[in-house]
Amino acid sequence: MSDAMHPLLAATPLLDVHHPGLEALVARRGWRTLSPYNRIGAVYDFVRNEIAFGYNEGDELPASRVLADGIGQCNTK
């Protein structure tokens, strides 16, 4: 089963993986060229190190909004 078809990798209201801002980030960072293991590490490191820790207006914000804001807390990161 390819990544695109795996049910655990499907887009959700919070994980809006097809948003142009998220797609651009993935392309810019070259994450699709990495092995799945290294891709997970790269994304994890980006969120941990490059999205500042702070409180959003709510926990129901989509990933694209957290990326645009550049700030998130444990629930939104």
Side-chain angles (χ1 to χ4, degrees):
M1 183 180 299
S2 73
D3 286 354
M5 296 179 66
H6 195 288
L8 295 178
L9 300 176
T12 68
L14 293 180
L15 188 56
D16 55 343
V17 296
H18 302 296
H19 185 278
L22 293 173
E23 290 282 355
L25 173 66
V26 169
R28 207 170 40 249
R29 297 288 176 132
W31 289 336
R32 285 194 177 92
T33 65
L34 302 175
S35 69
Y37 179 84
N38 289 332
R39 189 179 312 160
I40 291 166
V43 172
Y44 177 87
D45 287 345
F46 173 82
V47 172
R48 180 188 63 200
N49 298 329
E50 298 187 44
I51 301 292
F53 183 84
Y55 291 94
N56 305 93
E57 65 185 58
D59 288 346
E60 67 290 335
L61 300 177
S64 59
R65 172 73 186 277
V66 175
L67 178 64
D69 290 348
I71 190 168
Q73 40 95 2
C74 57
N75 295 333
T76 57
K77 278 184 150 192

